[in-house]
Amino acid sequence: AQKITQTQPGMFVQEKEAVTLDCTYDTSDQSYGLFWYKQPSSGEMIFLIYQGSYDEQNATEGRYSLNFQKARKSANLVISASQLGDSAMYFCAMREGAGNNRLAFGKGNQVVVIP
Amino acid sequence: DGGITQSPKYLFRKEGQNVTLSCEQNLNHDAMYWYRQDPGQGLRLIYYSQIVNDFQKGDIAEGYSVSREKKESFPLTVTSAQKNPTAFYLCASSTRTSSSTDTQYFGPGTRLTVL
């Protein structure tokens, strides 16, 4: 079964507008971590933001915020005030349990920011 | 500058040849990882290492081998036994090995093409 689901088609967003990228996950563990990475056309994976399963507050990092809804098992990424440099693939990933190094990745969301 | 380097950026291989991809980090990270990415897909874990002289198979280890003789280095060999090696290969590292908050940081990747 897929642990991370990202099913949105490619998205076009106007510069300076906000965009929300959906991510749902599947786990039976109580302790887990959720990550978002950005992959521009150059290929490098850039870490954006982290949310722990026990964190009561939604994570924020600059223009990135995570809308964490634990009961619904969703961890949507919100990018505010989109910039042209935000055009990239965005991947949601999960680490389950403690003592586990393995990250499970979704298939990604494509975002294109238009001026 | 601290970071993860991968070389070469592009690699071409003839069928039946083994080839080794380099990954070096100067972040003093204990754990290192190798992932494979196919077009339109997320990342899949090939091998990972939590400490020098130790490594574990990931989800798609068949046809690959690794070594971890130094903390800074985690080379990946793609052997002739790997039936479909053309892909983008990403190396990552992280500090701690037993926490769900442990964040993996990635190198720029190597694009391998089998001719």
Side-chain angles (χ1 to χ4, degrees), chain A residues 31-33 35 37 39 41-47 50 91 95-108, chain B residues 31 33 35 37 40-43 45 48 50 57-59 88 90 96-108:
Chain A
S31 174
Y32 53 89
F35 303 79
Y37 287 87
Q39 187 177 43
S41 57
S42 60
E44 184 173 359
M45 296 285 282
I46 302 166
F47 167 68
Y50 165 81
F91 291 91
R95 167 182 283 124
E96 296 177 277
N100 178 12
N101 297 77
R102 304 165 76 107
L103 280 179
F105 282 84
K107 294 187 176 182
Chain B
Y33 313 80
Y35 291 90
Q37 186 179 28
Q41 302 294 317
L43 278 62
L45 182 65
Y48 64 102
Q50 300 184 53
K57 291 182 179 180
D59 299 318
F88 187 54
L90 284 156
R96 294 157 61 188
T97 60
S98 60
S99 166
S100 63
T101 65
D102 187 27
T103 299
Q104 295 183 20
Y105 296 92
F106 286 80

Side-chain angles (χ1 to χ4, degrees), chain A residues 29-72:
Chain A
D29 284 354
Q30 296 301 308
S31 174
Y32 53 89
L34 296 157
F35 303 79
W36 276 92
Y37 287 87
K38 171 184 178 181
Q39 187 177 43
S41 57
S42 60
E44 184 173 359
M45 296 285 282
I46 302 166
F47 167 68
L48 295 178
I49 195 166
Y50 165 81
Q51 179 83 44
S53 58
Y54 293 119
D55 294 341
E56 295 185 355
Q57 303 279 345
N58 285 342
T60 60
E61 287 287 348
R63 294 186 299 110
Y64 304 108
S65 61
L66 207 152
N67 182 3
F68 181 46
Q69 298 187 48
K70 194 169 181 177
R72 299 179 64 180

Side-chain angles (χ1 to χ4, degrees), chain B residues 52-112:
Chain B
V52 173
N53 292 323
D54 186 50
F55 47 83
Q56 289 81 41
K57 291 182 179 180
D59 299 318
I60 55 165
E62 185 176 351
Y64 300 97
S65 66
V66 293
S67 62
R68 187 86 187 277
E69 297 176 2
K70 298 187 300 182
K71 187 176 184 178
E72 302 79 19
S73 178
F74 190 41
L76 173 75
T77 296
V78 184
T79 76
S80 56
Q82 170 50 237
K83 296 304 177 191
N84 186 19
T86 294
F88 187 54
Y89 291 87
L90 284 156
C91 177
S93 69
S94 66
T95 53
R96 294 157 61 188
T97 60
S98 60
S99 166
S100 63
T101 65
D102 187 27
T103 299
Q104 295 183 20
Y105 296 92
F106 286 80
T110 292
R111 195 167 297 278
L112 173 65

